Amino acid sequence: MIDNDHLIYVIFGASGDLTKRKLVPALYALFIKKLLPINFALLGVSRSEFSDAEFRESMRSAITEFKEIDDASRIDEFVEKVYYQSIRFDDPSSYLPIRQRLTSLREQTKTGGNTVFYLSTPPSLYGVIPQHLASVGLNRQDDGWKRLIIEKPFGYDLPSALELKDQLLKDWTEEQLYRIDHYLGKETVQNLLVTRFSNGIFEPLWNRNFVHHVEITSAESLGVEKRGGYYDSSGALRDMVQNHLLQVVALTAMEPPSSLDPSAIRNEIFKVFQSFRPIKREEVKHVAIRGQYLASTIKGKPVIGYRQEQGVKQDSVTETFAALKFYIDNWRWGGVPFYIRTGKRLPTRVTEVVIHFKPTPHFLFSQNSVIQSGNQLVIRIQPDEGIVVKFGMKTPGAGFDVQTVNMEFHYSDLSEQRIPSAYERLIYDAIKGDTTLFARTEEVLEAWKFLTPVIDSWKSDAEVPLYGYPSGTWGPEQTDDLIEEKEMTWRHPCKNLSDDGVYCEL
Ligand code: BG6
């Protein structure tokens, strides 16, 4: 049980997909685990007209369909705490009724003044809703804390992010703002900190003296599905790199924090963002690769190309794949290249961080050896969450041939322990008031600043190619050229295994 024993949780955009798939199932899981305040109410707010009863029914189905936790025994009790209010988001006169509804719910459900406002709406409303809430005093904390949770994207580029920042900070304090980056809520992303800072064996090697390069991949096998409209004005760089991937980079590269205090951790994360070596616009074509998926056949089935997707312009130049090479200019990482890539319609869904260690100064053993060029530490964020160290071992028999073998840990071996979803973790932290796993304004701005030359170049420099790549492949082959050393490539961990699909070994 958390200290705060009263709470109203208000979700703006309550009829949307995120509410059904992630937010309400995660709140139900917290309810089952007795991690919600006893006096708890959920108010869904959206444009559509629903009665409380209708909304409750749709949340009941959502909890059953998008099951987060294997316990349906208390769904009735949970949905009794759910209410609904319709709104015209951009109409200031809609907000007084919200305040009145909150006041009456507080009396009816004894939920006090502590309130979370979760914005799961189109990004164009991220400035508007908080401003209107403040205009009716719903940002004021005299009767309990008020917190605002904002989904990504935080702005579309640096100028729009700055504008949004100014809009929000006019009426709300930085401490009230919780910017969700759901990658930070992933158990395995947090485990990066524990792997690094609780093990004496890794940290001494975690620097330029021993690390050759760092590789981070976040691949998806799906295309844009039904989100073509949104995605076409975003693209892989804005959708995945600006937020999720750069946050993973920061946790991989940060210095040890002085304590687990949220500001100690976030300060170290921020320093990484500040240390990204700026990319010059004229360099973009050498250090950034973009691609767009083409129609192809996957496992015998034809799949359409990006430009044929619903909501996507037929001549769209939006990238569905992005890869970057860059440096972090500080004492730990000086000269170590970081390679990151993400894409849709790649061979499989896999997110991992690979630390490639430098090879030994001289290779003593047989030239018949089948080894990778250096030791690797693979931190698998999803799926088959786990960690592997790859190292050389003598092939049994005559001579001194070496082969690469794995020392590995899989989360699935911890059979007793359930891994909470990212949303469950982040929703809980925001209720507790723990900001550690939320992105701070300055970080977001630094990330936009870092990517601005790439964004500008991809928008305007005609000589920078947008490569097509067949769906089901690892993106444009030019991505391999980012890695200068001829003998090295990206880790391509997945094998095609008959029709059952693609298996990605750690
Ligand atoms: C979202 C992006 O933030 O992250 C999506 O908007 C992407 O395009 C998703 O598919 C990936 O998240 P996960 O948790 O499935 O890796």
Side-chain angles (χ1 to χ4, degrees):
M1 176 53 53
I2 55 176
D3 303 341
N4 314 305
D5 54 357
H6 302 95
L7 172 66
I8 295 201
Y9 209 92
V10 186
I11 301 180
F12 286 87
S15 58
D17 233 32
L18 186 73
T19 305
K20 290 195 199 96
R21 285 175 182 274
K22 302 282 182 191
L23 306 184
V24 169
L27 281 163
Y28 176 67
L30 290 171
F31 177 68
I32 289 291
K33 288 162 67 187
K34 301 199 171 32
L35 292 174
L36 287 183
I38 294 171
N39 296 327
F40 171 82
L42 170 63
L43 177 66
V45 179
S46 245
R47 278 197 195 96
S48 327
E49 297 284 344
F50 292 121
S51 64
D52 285 347
E54 284 166 333
F55 187 63
R56 279 178 190 160
E57 275 324 294
S58 94
M59 293 306 106
R60 179 197 300 282
S61 332
I63 294 168
T64 316
E65 185 179 352
F66 303 106
K67 190 157 61 177
E68 276 287 346
I69 192 159
D70 247 340
D71 183 348
S73 63
R74 297 181 66 199
I75 298 186
D76 286 347
E77 205 183 319
F78 179 80
V79 296
E80 279 300 300
K81 297 173 182 293
V82 173
Y83 302 85
Y84 185 80
Q85 171 93 20
S86 73
I87 193 178
R88 286 195 308 279
F89 289 118
D90 46 7
D91 175 2
S93 69
S94 273
Y95 288 78
L96 205 52
I98 295 283
R99 194 179 82 185
Q100 286 158 350
R101 186 75 197 272
L102 286 175
T103 308
S104 74
L105 275 180
R106 281 177 187 139
E107 277 166 25
Q108 182 188 337
T109 59
K110 315 243 176 315
T111 37
N114 294 346
T115 315
V116 169
F117 297 105
Y118 195 117
L119 305 194
S120 168
T121 61
S124 55
L125 294 168
Y126 291 172
V128 177
I129 296 173
Q131 186 195 348
H132 292 328
L133 287 173
S135 71
V136 294
L138 284 171
N139 58 339
R140 295 189 41 195
Q141 310 204 71
D142 22 9
D143 61 343
W145 50 254
K146 306 288 178 298
R147 295 181 187 142
L148 196 61
I149 305 189
I150 304 179
E151 269 294 327
K152 69 165 244 286
F154 192 83
Y156 178 76
D157 51 17
L158 184 58
S160 57
L162 281 164
E163 196 184 321
L164 180 56
K165 172 197 129 197
D166 290 343
Q167 256 175 319
L168 290 170
L169 292 180
K170 208 148 51 82
D171 302 307
W172 300 75
T173 63
E174 178 71 27
E175 291 65 43
Q176 289 178 285
L177 301 183
Y178 288 69
R179 266 176 231 86
I180 286 246
D181 184 308
H182 80 276
Y183 266 54
L184 291 176
K186 290 180 191 278
E187 190 64 34
T188 38
V189 171
Q190 294 149 35
N191 192 42
L192 271 166
L193 294 185
V194 178
T195 304
R196 291 189 53 197
F197 302 133
S198 74
N199 292 297
I201 56 172
F202 297 130
E203 194 51 23
L205 306 181
W206 209 269
N207 57 54
R208 63 186 302 279
N209 296 323
F210 299 97
V211 175
H212 185 274
H213 66 276
V214 177
E215 171 186 342
I216 298 177
T217 295
S218 185
E220 294 180 84
S221 52
L222 294 178
V224 290
E225 306 296 293
K226 294 185 185 140
R227 297 165 74 226
Y230 148 77
Y231 195 88
D232 208 33
S233 60
S234 168
L237 199 69
R238 291 184 168 90
D239 187 51
M240 291 292 291
V241 176
Q242 191 273 342
N243 33 71
H244 307 325
L245 260 70
L246 291 185
Q247 289 288 350
V248 174
V249 169
L251 291 182
T252 307
M254 68 190 268
E255 293 302 314
S258 55
S259 71
L260 280 189
D261 182 70
S263 61
I265 295 181
R266 291 170 91 190
N267 286 346
E268 295 308 334
I269 290 179
F270 180 51
K271 283 189 212 157
V272 177
F273 280 84
Q274 286 178 305
S275 311
F276 290 146
R277 182 186 299 173
I279 295 172
K280 298 194 191 79
R281 178 147 168 185
E282 59 276 18
E283 285 176 341
V284 169
K285 57 177 174 298
H286 305 298
V287 299
I289 301 288
R290 58 175 167 164
Q292 194 183 71
Y293 63 81
L294 305 171
S296 177
T297 306
I298 298 182
K299 287 187 239 149
K301 292 207 186 94
V303 294
I304 56 173
Y306 177 68
R307 289 182 184 176
Q308 289 86 55
E309 298 278 11
Q310 198 188 333
V312 171
K313 290 200 283 308
Q314 281 176 4
D315 56 353
S316 168
V317 290
T318 299
E319 79 286 354
T320 58
F321 175 95
L324 287 186
K325 172 185 183 181
F326 61 93
Y327 291 89
I328 295 175
D329 281 343
N330 63 19
W331 280 57
R332 183 185 287 267
W333 295 114
V336 177
F338 280 69
Y339 299 98
I340 62 178
R341 62 178 171 166
T342 182
K344 296 214 182 265
R345 281 269 186 250
L346 301 187
T348 191
R349 174 171 183 256
V350 62
T351 301
E352 61 182 23
V353 176
V354 188
I355 309 293
H356 293 259
F357 291 96
K358 289 183 176 169
T360 51
H362 168 62
F363 191 67
L364 274 176
F365 301 103
S366 155
Q367 294 313 314
N368 298 330
S369 300
V370 191
I371 55 159
Q372 275 133 5
S373 40
N375 295 108
Q376 296 174 8
L377 175 71
V378 183
I379 300 175
R380 173 63 71 77
I381 289 170
Q382 62 189 23
D384 187 9
E385 293 83 355
I387 295 193
V388 164
V389 180
K390 290 186 173 282
F391 65 102
M393 194 201 79
K394 182 178 176 302
T395 306
F400 274 103
D401 291 352
V402 183
Q403 69 186 75
T404 298
V405 292
N406 288 351
M407 207 153 59
E408 51 195 276
F409 158 74
H410 301 261
Y411 271 77
S412 52
D413 296 340
L414 304 175
S415 53
E416 294 304 305
Q417 290 176 40
R418 163 180 174 267
I419 301 186
S421 77
Y423 277 95
E424 186 180 326
R425 171 69 199 252
L426 294 173
I427 286 173
Y428 178 62
D429 282 2
I431 296 174
K432 277 194 314 177
D434 182 343
T435 54
T436 313
L437 299 174
F438 293 86
R440 226 159 53 177
T441 304
E442 306 104 293
E443 278 161 40
V444 177
L445 296 177
E446 283 296 330
W448 281 124
K449 199 161 106 192
F450 173 60
L451 293 177
T452 296
V454 184
I455 292 174
D456 290 348
S457 170
W458 283 1
K459 185 168 165 219
S460 315
D461 298 343
E463 81 278 11
V464 178
L466 168 71
Y467 300 104
Y469 62 95
S471 292
T473 64
W474 281 103
E477 48 196 37
Q478 288 77 2
T479 312
D480 287 342
D481 302 337
L482 286 180
I483 302 183
E484 277 154 28
E485 288 85 349
K486 289 274 167 302
E487 67 283 7
M488 289 188 183
T489 59
W490 296 81
R491 204 173 104 82
H492 288 179
C494 305
K495 301 178 199 157
N496 279 313
L497 278 191
S498 71
D499 281 349
D500 295 342
V502 177
Y503 170 69
C504 299
E505 64 188 4
L506 258 168

